[in-house]
Amino acid sequence: MAEAFEVVVVGAGHAGCEAAMAASRMGCRTCLVTMNLDLVAQMPCNPSIGGPAKAHVVREIDALGGAMGRCIDRTFVQIRMLNLSRGPAVRSLRAQADKRLYSLCMKHMLESTPGLALKQGTVEALLTEGDRVGGVRLADGTRLEAPAVVLTPGTFLNGEVLSGADYHARAGRAGELAAVSLARSLRDLGFELGRLQTNTPPRIDARTIDFGATALQMGSDHPLYFSFDGAPEHVYQVPLNSVYPLGYGTTWRRQMPCYQVHTNGDTHRVILGNLDRSPVAPGKLDAHGPRYCPSIEEKLVRFPDKASHIFFLEPEGAATTEVYVQGCFTGLPVDVQEDLLHTIPALREARIMRPGYAIAYDYVPAHQVRSTMETRRIHGLFLAGQINGTSGYEEAAGQGLLAGANAACYVRDEEPLVVRRDQGYLGVMVDDLVTKDLREPYRLFTSRAEYRLLLRQDNADLRLTELGHEWGLVDDARHEAVRTKKKLIQKEMERLRGVHLPPAGLIAQALKSRGFDPPRDGVALDQVLRRPGVGYDLVYDVAAPSPRLPAEVTEQVEIALAYEGYIARQARQVERTLRMETRHIPEGFDYAGLVGLRAEAQERLARHQPATVGQAARIEGVTPSDIGLLLVHLERLRRRD
Ligand SMILES: Cc1cc2nc3c(=O)[nH]c(=O)nc-3n(C[C@H](O)[C@H](O)[C@H](O)COP(=O)(O)OP(=O)(O)OC[C@H]3O[C@@H](n4cnc5c(N)ncnc54)[C@H](O)[C@@H]3O)c2cc1C
């Protein structure tokens, strides 16, 4: 049997869901095929979304019309703003998800997307004609034909679950089959595959935790949402399992606390005494694991002087008693996992429901894809998510959205969607992937972005909605709302500059009452706001515009004024580098023919095939003098043409 589509997306994980919805939003007849339709947008590791840099990505996905933010807003059991005492660049939302409800909600979103067909099936091979993709073949022989295919198989390519010294099983995740034929199909097509690993902690039964011996961690007492849509119309909720001590309720939304416990000397003795039984103890596995998210075995070896480590106990949902032990990532056998947990007072009786385990899997080193996520080797084939060597739901979802959108552009023969480094974390991530040789799973951090102050989670809509609208990902209503917001911010900034204060007026009194010196005679309101520690609320209360402005507008005004100098400096840096970022290098450029270029630079540039001079400059081993040479050569070519 054969069916024809314009785009086929393989895998309904975080990347696949966004890819399928993006391609459909852009008007392509799309099919999302996945091994198990009951496990859409599954969270095989932490039941949470967001955190530093990841929250930024969720907001960027939302600004581009994606689903992740809206889905978590409907299904979280706790939300908090992290880094509140620090600057706006690193503030980030983090939500605990009700894992089952998240999956259910995402499936509903997929099913509500016009033009999107969902299919359960296992893809065994890619169909190709020469160097073009033509679709996929399923295990039952069905052919799904399409000129563009987005592959998002996560940790399933030749996946191998490891637990203890002896247990190795072929699996994409615990309890799910590995994608062995698909990995072979990629190899047969000439792709270079690498091997990575990651691991997950045990889940324990809430009924066996002594919550009285834990420290509570509460959710926000005021409304917070990822999506720029704000409060969702419907929230997915199920009755709360009475086993959880709530601590306190929040009036605006039912939330669940998380709980903190600490390891101790006994815990460490159990782990160190059993290192030989762990497949992921340092030096054991060829495949590299995430350095920032190490197994507890590795943590103890790397930081021998640390007397204690924190574990966070995070409920996996409201109706289940499964609790995720954040921080206890491990490949130790289950009897050792139980022993180590039992050394912690609150967990003396803890019963493991799902043991932690490690997983090793194949990935496609990302120098083989372009910034559009299309592979260089096979036209029309796009890769997104863990297959590109990243880890994390948010990173996967962001790539998925870009890959799905670019698959649609490819089918329609339209200009691809590329987010630059100065436009978003999505741009930073994709650029890092295509210019760097990764040696471990890639994760986003705020420190990876050189223009952090420009790429805040609070202004993702202002940065990217326009782009999303232009590419058909964002509807007119959302676009219009952002245009209005921009105008209001602009107008308010002008108003503040134009209001000059008498020294003894209300503002002066308000400042004095809060311990600040009164402003000089005739000083403008915007100057008052630039003073460290002076909040917009103070100015707003005594000299509010009419009508009053929404909080998201005043927030932008406050940040823009307080950080004006720094923001302007970063904007000037962007301006300076833009010439290099927009200087394109022809596809298939012959670096071997560039006389005078060092052999190392030749080899690196030929491997990564940078799309722009800016990208070329970021490739490891390429020096400024190599770039100088390249620029001279490109200029010669330009003149000759
Ligand atoms: C054990 C474990 C531990 C992890 N630990 C962490 C961690 O600590 N931190 C972190 O950030 N991330 C962790 N992750 C990774 C995280 O789960 C992924 O980053 C994220 O889910 C990747 O999203 P994705 O969409 O690329 O793939 P996935 O979410 O894995 O989705 C892949 C989808 O593809 C489908 N599929 C695969 N092959 C085929 C095929 N041949 N035919 C049809 N469908 C197919 C699968 O059924 C699945 O739906 C862990 C994952 C696992 C399994």
Side-chain angles (χ1 to χ4, degrees), residues 5-228:
F5 296 92
E6 290 178 290
V7 176
V8 167
V9 178
V10 180
H14 305 278
C17 291
E18 293 292 351
M21 283 186 273
S24 306
R25 276 205 305 288
M26 287 174 63
C28 283
R29 265 180 306 108
T30 303
C31 176
L32 174 59
V33 56
T34 194
M35 282 187 183
N36 187 340
L37 276 176
D38 285 335
L39 298 176
V40 161
Q42 180 74 349
M43 298 185 177
C45 202
N46 50 317
S48 68
I49 299 274
K54 288 166 173 275
H56 296 61
V57 167
V58 181
R59 281 272 171 96
E60 290 180 8
I61 292 170
D62 188 68
L64 291 170
M68 186 170 239
R70 283 179 289 127
C71 190
I72 185 65
D73 286 347
R74 285 161 172 74
T75 56
F76 64 72
V77 291
Q78 187 198 92
I79 193 160
R80 292 186 302 136
M81 187 70 85
L82 308 184
N83 295 332
L84 255 180
S85 60
R86 299 178 57 199
V90 293
R91 270 173 226 155
S92 29
L93 280 171
R94 184 178 189 277
Q96 292 297 140
D98 189 311
K99 201 167 114 169
R100 298 285 356 118
L101 292 183
Y102 185 86
S103 168
L104 200 72
C105 177
M106 190 60 87
K107 182 142 181 266
H108 179 67
M109 287 177 153
L110 291 167
E111 288 167 350
S112 315
T113 304
L116 175 58
L118 297 183
K119 247 182 215 311
Q120 181 163 298
T122 297
V123 172
E124 285 211 332
L126 289 159
L127 304 172
T128 52
E129 279 165 36
D131 62 358
R132 296 195 173 272
V133 80
V136 298
R137 194 188 69 236
L138 307 189
D140 66 5
T142 304
R143 293 160 63 92
L144 303 175
E145 294 168 353
V149 171
V150 184
L151 263 193
T152 70
T155 50
F156 284 65
L157 291 181
N158 274 329
E160 192 180 13
V161 163
L162 314 165
S163 172
D166 305 321
Y167 182 74
H168 291 210
R170 288 240 151 165
R173 293 187 288 230
E176 294 178 69
L177 296 176
V180 178
S181 306
L182 182 57
R184 194 180 313 121
S185 172
L186 283 166
R187 220 182 265 283
D188 290 347
L189 287 170
F191 284 98
E192 169 195 336
L193 301 188
R195 195 112 176 116
L196 292 172
Q197 58 104 349
T198 183
N199 40 72
T200 192
R203 275 61 156 183
I204 55 179
D205 193 332
R207 291 169 297 176
T208 61
I209 297 172
D210 176 2
F211 287 106
T214 66
L216 291 190
Q217 189 187 53
M218 306 297 192
S220 167
D221 57 11
H222 61 275
L224 291 173
Y225 298 103
F226 276 94
S227 172
F228 289 103

Side-chain angles (χ1 to χ4, degrees), residues 335-386:
D335 58 307
V336 183
Q337 292 182 30
E338 215 149 65
D339 286 350
L340 81 89
L341 293 173
H342 289 171
T343 59
I344 297 169
L347 307 180
R348 291 240 186 275
E349 305 292 327
R351 210 168 42 231
I352 292 179
M353 293 175 82
R354 294 185 206 219
Y357 65 94
I359 185 154
Y361 55 93
D362 287 353
Y363 77 109
V364 178
H367 65 86
Q368 296 167 94
V369 299
R370 301 184 168 94
S371 304
T372 59
M373 317 308 295
E374 187 186 13
T375 63
R376 298 184 190 290
R377 186 168 285 277
I378 302 290
H379 295 291
L381 177 63
F382 295 77
L383 307 183
Q386 199 99 3

Side-chain angles (χ1 to χ4, degrees), residues 585-595 597 602 605-606 609 630 633-634 637:
I585 304 175
E587 177 96 27
F589 185 85
D590 176 22
Y591 292 99
L594 215 169
V595 181
L597 191 64
Q602 259 179 33
L605 289 163
Q609 289 285 332
L630 177 62
H633 192 75
L634 287 174
L637 282 182

Side-chain angles (χ1 to χ4, degrees), residues 377-427:
R377 186 168 285 277
I378 302 290
H379 295 291
L381 177 63
F382 295 77
L383 307 183
Q386 199 99 3
I387 188 173
N388 283 333
T390 60
S391 89
Y393 313 138
E394 303 81 352
E395 287 87 342
Q399 290 169 65
L401 187 145
L402 295 176
N406 281 325
C409 294
Y410 172 85
V411 169
R412 299 278 148 92
D413 200 16
E414 286 167 4
E415 188 73 13
L417 171 63
V418 175
V419 178
R420 290 194 317 266
R421 290 184 78 91
D422 60 286
Q423 290 177 310
Y425 275 85
L426 291 177

Side-chain angles (χ1 to χ4, degrees), residues 44-47 94 96 199-204 293 312-316 322-327 329 393:
C45 202
N46 50 317
R94 184 178 189 277
Q96 292 297 140
N199 40 72
T200 192
R203 275 61 156 183
I204 55 179
C293 196
F312 291 95
L313 307 180
E314 304 179 349
E316 293 230 316
E322 277 192 76
V323 174
Y324 175 88
V325 188
Q326 161 82 340
F329 302 93
Y393 313 138

